Amino acid sequence: MKLTDHSKWVDHTYVRPNDTDINGIASASAILGYLQDAAYNQHFYCGPSLDSLRESGRAYILSRVAMRIIKPLYACDKIDVESWACPSSGFSLNRCADIVKNGELAVQLSSIWALADVETRRLYKADELILGFGEDEPIDPKVPIRFVIPSDLTLDKTGTHTVSYSDADINGHMHNTVYPNMLCNYLPQQNEETNEETADAGFTIHRENRPAITGKRISALSISFVTEARIGEKIDIYCGRDANGIYFFRTKHTENPSIKAGIEARMEITDI
């Protein structure tokens, strides 16, 4: 772990084998986790730590994230994970990050956060937060951080997920790094033969049980976080695919349908 130029934090780390998926590559959730770990470490070592913010009754809330995965990451790949705060104003706190592998850019991320009072939900302005580190210029990952689900696109319900212990953060909400993998769980299956067996990664599975992400990977992902999902809540996942092959998602609170949405997401998938 290293701080450079008092602004960018760098974690010199590697891809953990248990972070790889059915394709043998780091999942999008794992990659998002590496990027957020770097931000956590910058706060922990340079201040203010997230624990100290929590003790003062404040917490970060992720509003939007846009991530471009340029190339896949494999088990034990050595990677440099950089994270830095960007110039911010009003109630929006901007942060960018990237991952470099063998001297080449592998991942880029842009995100917008808010700092809220845990009890009152009051938002703090950017100039009310004193950081122990500097800022650097933002990057454009070439993925829209703001997007609109096409009004003429039908989103079909592809499943229901119950938020449980393995999903939750210290606040009892579904951790934002869990969402990418959860969305992959509910991608609609494409038309395939379903009466054969196929060997994948050394074991045999029926085609009808193959995850839709098999042989593919996320290349671009944008998520807008609207409302939190708490432990014990059920959320319905709706998904549609437009004419360009881009997937759009919306989650809704199963037992509270009056709430417009939990999250909305835009996902691009490519062959590995």
Side-chain angles (χ1 to χ4, degrees):
M1 289 174 269
K2 183 181 177 183
L3 184 64
T4 59
D5 301 328
H6 306 292
S7 57
K8 287 189 177 182
W9 181 268
V10 185
D11 280 344
H12 303 291
T13 185
Y14 68 97
V15 176
R16 293 184 293 270
N18 64 343
D19 284 337
T20 58
D21 65 6
I22 193 171
N23 301 303
I25 61 175
S27 69
S29 279
I31 291 172
L32 185 57
Y34 296 154
L35 296 165
Q36 290 199 14
D37 285 350
Y40 181 99
N41 288 335
Q42 185 173 37
H43 274 276
F44 183 86
Y45 289 102
C46 302
S49 71
L50 302 193
D51 285 340
S52 67
L53 286 174
R54 191 176 298 108
E55 289 170 1
S56 67
R58 296 175 292 171
Y60 279 114
I61 299 173
L62 182 55
S63 174
R64 295 179 180 271
V65 64
M67 178 171 66
R68 180 166 67 106
I69 303 175
I70 302 165
K71 56 183 63 179
L73 302 176
Y74 295 88
C76 297
D77 277 350
K78 293 181 180 179
I79 54 176
D80 296 328
V81 186
E82 299 180 313
S83 181
W84 63 96
C86 301
S88 303
S89 62
F91 299 104
S92 296
L93 305 175
N94 302 313
R95 177 171 280 271
C96 289
D98 60 33
I99 296 178
V100 176
K101 169 186 167 184
N102 296 329
E104 297 183 353
L105 197 60
V107 181
Q108 286 187 311
L109 175 141
S110 178
S111 59
I112 302 174
W113 298 74
L115 185 66
D117 186 287
V118 175
E119 294 296 329
T120 67
R121 311 294 287 180
R122 180 181 82 84
L123 299 181
Y124 292 86
K125 289 186 176 181
D127 59 10
E128 295 181 85
L129 176 63
I130 300 175
L131 299 173
F133 47 88
E135 299 174 337
D136 210 323
E137 292 303 309
I139 57 175
D140 179 7
K142 307 302 181 185
V143 180
I145 197 165
R146 299 183 185 278
F147 61 92
V148 176
I149 297 177
S151 58
D152 59 348
L153 181 64
T154 300
L155 301 184
D156 296 316
K157 182 178 176 181
T158 55
T160 299
H161 181 81
T162 301
V163 182
S164 61
Y165 160 80
S166 60
D167 301 319
D169 60 17
I170 195 170
N171 298 310
H173 303 145
M174 188 162 172
H175 199 288
N176 54 72
T177 61
V178 172
Y179 281 95
N181 281 1
M182 185 203 73
L183 295 177
C184 287
N185 287 338
Y186 297 102
L187 279 166
Q189 293 289 344
Q190 301 304 305
N191 293 327
E192 291 190 65
E193 295 293 333
T194 59
N195 59 352
E196 299 179 17
E197 291 186 345
T198 182
D200 289 285
F203 57 88
T204 301
I205 57 176
H206 288 279
R207 284 187 181 273
E208 62 185 355
N209 295 327
R210 291 178 67 182
I213 200 73
T214 304
K216 302 180 182 297
R217 67 176 181 86
I218 294 176
S219 58
L221 179 66
S222 304
I223 305 178
S224 172
F225 296 87
V226 183
T227 58
E228 301 125 334
R230 301 174 182 273
I231 285 183
E233 277 193 275
K234 288 182 170 59
I235 51 177
D236 294 332
I237 298 92
Y238 295 83
C239 180
R241 186 169 181 249
D242 73 6
N244 297 315
I246 299 173
Y247 291 91
F248 290 89
F249 296 85
R250 178 179 290 122
T251 69
K252 295 184 178 181
H253 298 264
T254 307
E255 297 166 355
N256 201 346
S258 61
I259 298 178
K260 180 182 178 182
I263 68 159
E264 293 185 342
R266 177 189 183 277
M267 179 188 293
E268 295 180 40
I269 293 177
T270 187
D271 292 332
I272 295 176

